[in-house]
Amino acid sequence: MTTSDTRTARTLLRDDPADGVDFGLEHVHEVLAGLAAEVAADRPRDAELITCRLGLDGENPETLTLLGARFGVSRDRARQLYTRAVGAMLRQTLATGQPDLSVFAQRYPVGHGDERLVRALLAETYATDGDIAAQDWAYLKLRLAGHDLQDAKRLAGFVFQRIAGWQQKGRWHLLPTSGQDGAGVARHAPGTAGDATADVTDRHTTSAAGDPAITPAARRASGTSADPSATVATRRVPGADGAAAVTTADAGDDIWAPWLRRVEWPEGGSSEPLPTLPAGRLDYDDDSRGHMFSEKLGREVTFDTALQARLLRLLDTSPVVETFRELPVAVTYDLDGSERVHYPTAAATFTDGRTVLIDVSPLAHTALHPQRTRAAASRAAAFTRGWGWLTWTGSRQGLPELLSRKVDTHHESTLLSRLSQGPLTWPALDTFRTESGLTLLDLAALVHRHDWQWHRGPFRLTR
């Protein structure tokens, strides 16, 4: 895959992550969850490794460090155990031809061309916030689609290289963003080191020599308003190729006007200050996590995914944000009798003195049972500290828009009727959505509206 191919793939990624999810991708999840369930009958540890690594149960994919801690082994040993488990699962599946794998062949066809396949895999990674296990997901999707071993490894390697480019240590990178929730300009997905992508930025911009072109201090000195809804000026800065490029210096400002209206605030009480340092997450320094330098904090911050990096970048560049912390608190919650721990993405104190706990979640994923349970616990933790709570989707839409989404009343009444008779499984829902035209966001809206439980691994919808 040439550099030109890579750049073309970058420019064609979807701007809004909500546009990149559909029932076809849910079908992919369901088939893999079914394969893991078959593995569980004879090799329960292998099934747990696959499920946790890929996030098949609706939780976020786990780093190899967390997998190692879960099973009491080193990170490298966890990788070996996972690779062996996946190999055994693939050999059994490909030998028997069961279950039906046509959804993989349709989405990732052999002979489709490297550029188109990598583009599709990257778009799905961004839309599902799944960077941590992107290479593993890509390899499995390609193998189950009929690609041979070497072809699948090669293309999955391209995906890994692109993710590594997003996470390159010590630099801000251009990330896919929506023109509606940022500066109102088109943006590209991140390129590898050396890519000339200076046509857009709401980030700390770097010249060819690596010197900061515009710093937060310079922005504040320019007299830019601290009002979140203020219109900011456009200025020209040097691009990576030395040419002048138009950029909105405070692109992070525009996003906070609509997002602050989506914040849930506690009733009265004083607000606790932000912690001095991030919470002690076990895999804070895992090799798969990204690092970038925050001028506002004067140190590196870490992230798991491109969406998280995009949020942190907006917090760092916006003059309406006084300061922030990544992974500020550890939130303990109970998921169906199992105790879990979650670290929300960030907490930010704005110039008006208010603090908000913010967690990143793709729009459709906010309806998944584990994600809703986790969000409820995180909201409670925020309110206890006197902070507001916000689920940041990286989309033009947030939870309020999803809750008010118009869904065909016939679709809604049909699902209500079917759920009154018991849980809805994947085959039944797949048939219904194919016949009715129900979309994934329609389903997510109904789950929130009626407080249903949307389980994954395997799919099950209950009242």
Side-chain angles (χ1 to χ4, degrees), residues 100 116 205 304 431 445 447:
D100 181 8
R116 297 176 68 182
T205 305
D304 286 336
T431 299
V447 168

Side-chain angles (χ1 to χ4, degrees), residues 8 11 13-14 17-18 23 54 77 174 222 257 355 362 365 373 390 395 405 418 427 461:
T8 302
T11 60
L13 283 174
R14 294 180 176 87
F23 273 115
L54 301 178
R77 181 57 178 160
L174 296 175
S222 70
T355 298
H365 286 192
T373 303
L390 173 66
S395 168
R405 181 183 178 89
R418 293 193 180 187
L461 190 64

Side-chain angles (χ1 to χ4, degrees), residues 6 31 33 44 56 102 111 137-138 149 151 157 171 252 272 275 278 282 291 307 319 334 367 374 385 415 424 432 442:
T6 302
V31 173
L56 295 176
S102 58
W137 264 109
L149 177 65
D151 195 40
R171 296 182 59 190
E272 291 185 10
L282 183 63
H291 301 252
L307 274 180
D334 180 89
R374 193 173 70 191
R385 292 167 171 79
L415 285 176
L424 199 64
F432 174 71
D442 289 341

Side-chain angles (χ1 to χ4, degrees), residues 47-72 75 78-79 82 129-134 136-137 281-283 286 288-289 304-305 333 335 338-342 374:
E48 187 177 358
L49 275 163
I50 295 169
T51 297
C52 293
R53 176 60 174 165
L54 301 178
L56 295 176
D57 56 356
E59 292 276 30
N60 292 342
E62 289 190 1
T63 62
L64 293 173
T65 298
L66 287 181
L67 276 184
R70 178 185 291 274
F71 293 98
R75 183 184 190 276
R79 162 58 76 185
Y82 168 80
D129 205 32
D131 305 41
I132 284 292
D136 295 323
W137 264 109
R281 178 169 151 172
L282 183 63
D283 61 345
D286 188 90
S288 64
R289 306 193 70 237
D304 286 336
T305 68
Y333 63 102
L335 181 64
S338 174
E339 186 176 282
R340 309 287 179 94
V341 180
H342 175 59
R374 193 173 70 191

Side-chain angles (χ1 to χ4, degrees), residues 11 29 80 93 100 105 110 143 147 194 215 220 225 251 285 294 312 336 344 353-354 377 383 411:
T11 60
H29 269 268
Q80 293 171 358
T93 302
D100 181 8
V110 176
R143 288 291 282 137
H147 293 260
T215 67
R220 289 190 287 271
S225 170
D285 293 323
S294 162
L312 295 175
D336 302 328
R354 296 183 296 176
F383 286 4
H411 298 167

